[in-house]
Short mmCIF file of all heavy atoms in Angstrom, two decimals:
data_model
loop_
_atom_site.label_atom_id
_atom_site.label_comp_id
_atom_site.label_asym_id
_atom_site.label_seq_id
_atom_site.Cartn_x
_atom_site.Cartn_y
_atom_site.Cartn_z
N TRP A 167 151.44 100.27 79.99
CA TRP A 167 152.00 99.19 80.94
C TRP A 167 153.18 98.59 80.33
O TRP A 167 153.43 98.77 79.09
CB TRP A 167 150.99 98.12 81.09
CG TRP A 167 149.56 98.63 81.67
CD1 TRP A 167 148.66 99.28 81.03
CD2 TRP A 167 149.08 98.60 83.06
NE1 TRP A 167 147.47 99.61 81.76
CE2 TRP A 167 147.91 99.16 83.05
CE3 TRP A 167 149.66 98.04 84.22
CZ2 TRP A 167 146.99 99.18 84.26
CZ3 TRP A 167 148.89 98.02 85.29
CH2 TRP A 167 147.62 98.68 85.36
N LEU A 187 151.01 103.24 90.73
CA LEU A 187 151.01 101.82 91.32
C LEU A 187 149.46 101.41 91.32
O LEU A 187 148.47 102.07 91.22
CB LEU A 187 151.47 101.89 92.70
CG LEU A 187 152.92 102.37 92.85
CD1 LEU A 187 153.30 102.25 94.37
CD2 LEU A 187 153.90 101.61 91.98
N CYS A 188 149.35 99.92 91.18
CA CYS A 188 148.12 99.37 91.10
C CYS A 188 147.96 98.23 92.14
O CYS A 188 149.06 97.58 92.50
CB CYS A 188 147.84 98.71 89.74
SG CYS A 188 148.04 99.93 88.38
N ASP A 189 146.89 98.07 92.66
CA ASP A 189 146.43 97.05 93.68
C ASP A 189 145.42 96.12 93.20
O ASP A 189 144.53 96.55 92.31
CB ASP A 189 146.07 97.63 95.07
CG ASP A 189 147.15 98.67 95.59
OD1 ASP A 189 148.16 98.16 95.85
OD2 ASP A 189 146.69 99.98 95.62
N ILE A 190 145.35 95.07 93.71
CA ILE A 190 144.20 94.14 93.66
C ILE A 190 143.26 94.50 94.67
O ILE A 190 143.55 94.53 95.89
CB ILE A 190 144.71 92.52 93.78
CG1 ILE A 190 145.61 92.11 92.72
CG2 ILE A 190 143.36 91.77 93.84
CD1 ILE A 190 144.89 92.01 91.35
N LEU A 191 141.95 94.70 94.32
CA LEU A 191 140.92 95.06 95.29
C LEU A 191 139.98 93.86 95.43
O LEU A 191 139.50 93.17 94.49
CB LEU A 191 140.17 96.22 94.79
CG LEU A 191 140.85 97.54 94.51
CD1 LEU A 191 140.02 98.69 94.22
CD2 LEU A 191 141.76 98.01 95.66
N VAL A 192 139.80 93.46 96.74
CA VAL A 192 138.92 92.50 96.95
C VAL A 192 137.91 92.75 98.20
O VAL A 192 138.15 93.85 98.89
CB VAL A 192 139.76 91.11 97.39
CG1 VAL A 192 140.72 90.74 96.50
CG2 VAL A 192 140.36 91.40 98.95
N LEU A 198 141.47 86.36 100.16
CA LEU A 198 142.80 87.11 100.04
C LEU A 198 142.81 88.36 100.93
O LEU A 198 143.97 88.95 101.01
CB LEU A 198 142.90 87.44 98.61
CG LEU A 198 143.10 86.22 97.64
CD1 LEU A 198 143.17 86.78 96.18
CD2 LEU A 198 144.35 85.46 97.92
N ARG A 201 145.65 88.73 103.32
CA ARG A 201 147.20 88.46 102.74
C ARG A 201 147.72 89.85 102.67
O ARG A 201 147.03 90.83 102.22
CB ARG A 201 147.01 87.81 101.48
CG ARG A 201 146.39 86.42 101.50
CD ARG A 201 147.45 85.41 101.85
NE ARG A 201 148.58 85.35 100.74
CZ ARG A 201 148.43 84.64 99.83
NH1 ARG A 201 147.44 83.70 99.57
NH2 ARG A 201 149.45 84.59 98.75
N GLU A 202 149.03 89.95 102.81
CA GLU A 202 149.75 91.13 102.59
C GLU A 202 150.06 91.28 101.06
O GLU A 202 150.01 92.38 100.48
CB GLU A 202 151.03 91.18 103.32
CG GLU A 202 150.88 91.45 104.79
CD GLU A 202 152.25 91.67 105.51
OE1 GLU A 202 153.29 91.71 104.86
OE2 GLU A 202 152.16 91.75 106.75
N SER A 203 150.19 90.16 100.36
CA SER A 203 150.52 90.07 98.99
C SER A 203 150.06 88.79 98.44
O SER A 203 149.75 87.86 99.11
CB SER A 203 152.05 90.37 98.66
OG SER A 203 152.70 89.35 99.08
N VAL A 204 149.89 88.77 97.05
CA VAL A 204 149.48 87.57 96.42
C VAL A 204 150.26 87.52 95.01
O VAL A 204 150.47 88.61 94.33
CB VAL A 204 147.91 87.52 96.08
CG1 VAL A 204 147.44 88.75 95.37
CG2 VAL A 204 147.52 86.27 95.48
N ARG A 205 150.52 86.33 94.55
CA ARG A 205 151.23 86.17 93.24
C ARG A 205 150.10 86.00 92.22
O ARG A 205 148.95 85.48 92.48
CB ARG A 205 152.24 85.20 93.23
CG ARG A 205 153.35 85.47 94.25
CD ARG A 205 154.54 84.30 94.01
NE ARG A 205 155.11 84.46 92.65
CZ ARG A 205 156.04 85.40 92.32
NH1 ARG A 205 156.45 86.26 93.26
NH2 ARG A 205 156.37 85.37 91.13
N ARG A 206 150.52 86.35 90.96
CA ARG A 206 149.56 86.19 89.86
C ARG A 206 149.08 84.81 89.64
O ARG A 206 148.02 84.56 89.28
CB ARG A 206 150.23 86.72 88.60
CG ARG A 206 150.63 88.24 88.68
CD ARG A 206 151.49 88.62 87.60
NE ARG A 206 151.85 90.15 87.71
CZ ARG A 206 152.69 90.84 87.05
NH1 ARG A 206 153.35 90.15 85.94
NH2 ARG A 206 153.00 92.08 87.31
N GLU A 207 149.97 83.79 89.87
CA GLU A 207 149.53 82.48 89.73
C GLU A 207 148.52 81.99 90.56
O GLU A 207 147.79 80.86 90.24
CB GLU A 207 150.83 81.52 89.85
CG GLU A 207 151.93 81.67 88.77
CD GLU A 207 152.82 82.93 89.18
OE1 GLU A 207 152.67 83.60 90.26
OE2 GLU A 207 153.83 83.32 88.18
N GLU A 208 148.27 82.64 91.67
CA GLU A 208 147.25 82.24 92.66
C GLU A 208 145.86 82.83 92.26
O GLU A 208 144.81 82.47 93.05
CB GLU A 208 147.63 82.80 94.10
CG GLU A 208 148.87 82.38 94.49
CD GLU A 208 149.35 82.90 95.85
OE1 GLU A 208 148.62 82.55 96.92
OE2 GLU A 208 150.25 83.80 95.87
N LEU A 209 145.70 83.56 91.24
CA LEU A 209 144.45 84.11 90.81
C LEU A 209 143.64 83.50 89.73
O LEU A 209 142.64 84.08 89.26
CB LEU A 209 144.64 85.63 90.38
CG LEU A 209 145.45 86.42 91.43
CD1 LEU A 209 145.78 87.84 90.87
CD2 LEU A 209 144.57 86.72 92.70
N ALA A 210 144.03 82.22 89.44
CA ALA A 210 143.41 81.51 88.36
C ALA A 210 141.79 81.21 88.51
O ALA A 210 141.15 81.33 87.55
CB ALA A 210 144.02 80.13 88.09
N GLU A 212 139.74 83.14 90.20
CA GLU A 212 138.99 84.41 90.58
C GLU A 212 137.99 84.94 89.39
O GLU A 212 138.35 84.67 88.29
CB GLU A 212 140.01 85.47 90.83
CG GLU A 212 140.90 85.22 92.12
CD GLU A 212 140.13 85.00 93.35
OE1 GLU A 212 138.89 85.49 93.43
OE2 GLU A 212 140.66 84.23 94.24
N TRP A 214 136.61 88.22 87.72
CA TRP A 214 137.30 89.50 87.57
C TRP A 214 136.30 90.68 87.22
O TRP A 214 135.39 90.25 86.49
CB TRP A 214 138.44 89.46 86.53
CG TRP A 214 139.74 88.68 87.06
CD1 TRP A 214 140.01 87.48 86.91
CD2 TRP A 214 140.85 89.37 87.65
NE1 TRP A 214 141.20 87.25 87.50
CE2 TRP A 214 141.75 88.39 88.03
CE3 TRP A 214 141.16 90.73 87.97
CZ2 TRP A 214 142.85 88.67 88.68
CZ3 TRP A 214 142.23 90.94 88.75
CH2 TRP A 214 143.20 90.05 89.07
N TRP A 226 146.29 94.79 79.46
CA TRP A 226 147.35 94.36 80.37
C TRP A 226 146.82 93.24 81.19
O TRP A 226 147.59 92.24 81.33
CB TRP A 226 147.67 95.55 81.35
CG TRP A 226 148.93 95.13 82.13
CD1 TRP A 226 150.21 95.42 81.99
CD2 TRP A 226 148.78 94.53 83.47
NE1 TRP A 226 150.89 94.84 83.00
CE2 TRP A 226 150.09 94.33 83.87
CE3 TRP A 226 147.71 93.90 84.28
CZ2 TRP A 226 150.47 93.63 85.13
CZ3 TRP A 226 148.05 93.41 85.49
CH2 TRP A 226 149.35 93.24 85.91
N LEU A 227 145.58 93.22 81.70
CA LEU A 227 145.14 92.17 82.52
C LEU A 227 145.21 90.83 81.79
O LEU A 227 145.60 89.81 82.34
CB LEU A 227 143.68 92.57 83.11
CG LEU A 227 143.02 91.41 83.99
CD1 LEU A 227 143.81 91.26 85.27
CD2 LEU A 227 141.53 91.77 84.18
N THR A 230 148.72 89.57 80.83
CA THR A 230 149.50 89.16 81.99
C THR A 230 149.09 87.77 82.57
O THR A 230 149.86 86.99 82.98
CB THR A 230 149.46 90.23 83.14
OG1 THR A 230 150.05 91.44 82.63
CG2 THR A 230 150.25 89.82 84.36
N LEU A 231 147.75 87.62 82.79
CA LEU A 231 147.19 86.43 83.22
C LEU A 231 147.26 85.28 82.36
O LEU A 231 147.69 84.11 82.73
CB LEU A 231 145.80 86.67 83.75
CG LEU A 231 145.65 87.69 84.95
CD1 LEU A 231 144.17 87.75 85.35
CD2 LEU A 231 146.54 87.43 85.99
N THR A 234 150.70 83.49 82.65
CA THR A 234 150.78 82.57 83.83
C THR A 234 150.11 81.23 83.51
O THR A 234 150.08 80.37 84.28
CB THR A 234 150.29 83.33 85.12
OG1 THR A 234 148.80 83.41 84.94
CG2 THR A 234 150.83 84.67 85.41
N PHE A 236 146.67 80.80 82.47
CA PHE A 236 145.17 80.70 82.44
C PHE A 236 144.57 81.89 81.86
O PHE A 236 145.00 82.90 81.72
CB PHE A 236 144.71 80.42 83.98
CG PHE A 236 144.92 81.63 84.81
CD1 PHE A 236 143.97 82.61 85.01
CD2 PHE A 236 146.14 81.73 85.59
CE1 PHE A 236 144.18 83.69 85.89
CE2 PHE A 236 146.32 82.82 86.52
CZ PHE A 236 145.35 83.75 86.51
N ILE A 260 136.93 90.42 91.86
CA ILE A 260 138.19 91.23 92.28
C ILE A 260 138.46 92.17 91.16
O ILE A 260 138.09 91.86 89.95
CB ILE A 260 139.23 90.33 92.76
CG1 ILE A 260 139.85 89.54 91.49
CG2 ILE A 260 138.78 89.34 93.82
CD1 ILE A 260 141.05 88.80 91.87
N ALA A 261 139.24 93.11 91.33
CA ALA A 261 139.65 94.05 90.23
C ALA A 261 141.09 94.52 90.47
O ALA A 261 141.54 94.52 91.63
CB ALA A 261 138.64 95.22 90.15
N LEU A 262 141.86 94.86 89.49
CA LEU A 262 143.03 95.39 89.44
C LEU A 262 142.86 96.91 89.23
O LEU A 262 142.42 97.28 88.03
CB LEU A 262 144.02 94.90 88.44
CG LEU A 262 145.41 95.59 88.33
CD1 LEU A 262 146.14 95.26 89.53
CD2 LEU A 262 146.08 95.05 87.02
N VAL A 263 143.06 97.76 90.17
CA VAL A 263 142.67 99.17 89.99
C VAL A 263 143.84 100.15 90.33
O VAL A 263 144.50 99.99 91.51
CB VAL A 263 141.42 99.57 90.88
CG1 VAL A 263 141.09 101.01 90.74
CG2 VAL A 263 140.23 98.65 90.58
N ARG A 265 145.93 103.47 91.63
CA ARG A 265 145.82 104.36 92.72
C ARG A 265 145.36 105.79 92.26
O ARG A 265 144.63 106.44 93.03
CB ARG A 265 146.95 104.31 93.61
CG ARG A 265 147.27 103.08 94.16
CD ARG A 265 148.49 102.99 95.11
NE ARG A 265 148.84 101.80 95.61
CZ ARG A 265 149.89 101.47 96.52
NH1 ARG A 265 150.71 102.53 96.67
NH2 ARG A 265 150.10 100.32 96.81
N PRO A 277 142.58 96.52 99.74
CA PRO A 277 143.64 96.53 98.72
C PRO A 277 144.76 95.45 99.15
O PRO A 277 145.07 95.27 100.29
CB PRO A 277 144.31 97.82 98.67
CG PRO A 277 144.07 98.32 100.12
CD PRO A 277 142.81 97.74 100.60
N VAL A 278 145.06 94.66 98.13
CA VAL A 278 146.06 93.63 98.42
C VAL A 278 147.21 93.85 97.37
O VAL A 278 146.96 93.99 96.16
CB VAL A 278 145.47 92.15 98.30
CG1 VAL A 278 146.72 91.25 98.48
CG2 VAL A 278 144.45 91.88 99.31
N ARG A 279 148.41 93.78 97.81
CA ARG A 279 149.58 93.98 96.78
C ARG A 279 149.76 92.79 95.98
O ARG A 279 149.79 91.61 96.44
CB ARG A 279 150.91 94.24 97.65
CG ARG A 279 152.05 94.61 96.64
CD ARG A 279 153.26 95.16 97.52
NE ARG A 279 153.64 94.20 98.56
CZ ARG A 279 154.53 93.18 98.28
NH1 ARG A 279 155.04 92.98 97.13
NH2 ARG A 279 154.90 92.39 99.36
N LEU A 280 149.89 93.02 94.69
CA LEU A 280 150.10 91.97 93.66
C LEU A 280 151.72 91.94 93.48
O LEU A 280 152.32 92.89 93.26
CB LEU A 280 149.45 92.21 92.38
CG LEU A 280 149.51 91.17 91.27
CD1 LEU A 280 148.92 89.85 91.76
CD2 LEU A 280 148.76 91.70 90.08
N ASP A 281 152.17 90.69 93.57
CA ASP A 281 153.64 90.55 93.55
C ASP A 281 153.93 89.87 92.34
O ASP A 281 153.67 88.69 92.03
CB ASP A 281 154.15 89.69 94.74
CG ASP A 281 155.64 89.71 94.89
OD1 ASP A 281 156.36 90.44 94.27
OD2 ASP A 281 156.18 88.78 95.66
N PRO A 282 154.79 90.42 91.41
CA PRO A 282 155.31 91.83 91.39
C PRO A 282 154.21 92.90 91.14
O PRO A 282 153.26 92.51 90.49
CB PRO A 282 156.28 91.83 90.31
CG PRO A 282 155.96 90.85 89.24
CD PRO A 282 155.19 89.69 90.13
N MET A 283 154.41 94.00 91.79
CA MET A 283 153.38 95.00 91.70
C MET A 283 153.30 95.61 90.30
O MET A 283 154.34 96.12 89.77
CB MET A 283 153.65 96.18 92.68
CG MET A 283 152.64 97.33 92.73
SD MET A 283 152.83 98.57 93.96
CE MET A 283 152.09 97.58 95.37
N PRO A 284 152.16 95.68 89.69
CA PRO A 284 152.08 96.22 88.37
C PRO A 284 152.04 97.78 88.44
O PRO A 284 151.49 98.52 89.39
CB PRO A 284 150.60 95.83 87.92
CG PRO A 284 150.01 95.06 89.00
CD PRO A 284 150.87 95.05 90.15
N THR A 285 152.62 98.56 87.52
CA THR A 285 152.55 99.96 87.40
C THR A 285 152.29 100.29 86.04
O THR A 285 152.53 99.61 85.05
CB THR A 285 153.94 100.45 87.80
OG1 THR A 285 154.92 100.03 86.96
CG2 THR A 285 154.35 100.09 89.17
#
Side-chain angles (χ1 to χ4, degrees):
W167 301 75
L187 302 180
C188 306
D189 302 296
I190 294 291
L191 302 185
V192 304
L198 294 177
R201 298 272 298 273
E202 290 186 3
S203 66
V204 60
R205 296 192 62 81
R206 298 167 184 177
E207 295 81 2
E208 301 178 73
L209 301 174
E212 297 299 333
W214 285 91
W226 184 92
L227 179 66
T230 299
L231 297 185
T234 64
F236 65 90
I260 70 172
L262 176 70
V263 180
R265 295 179 183 178
V278 179
R279 182 169 59 85
L280 185 59
D281 186 20
M283 178 174 283
T285 62

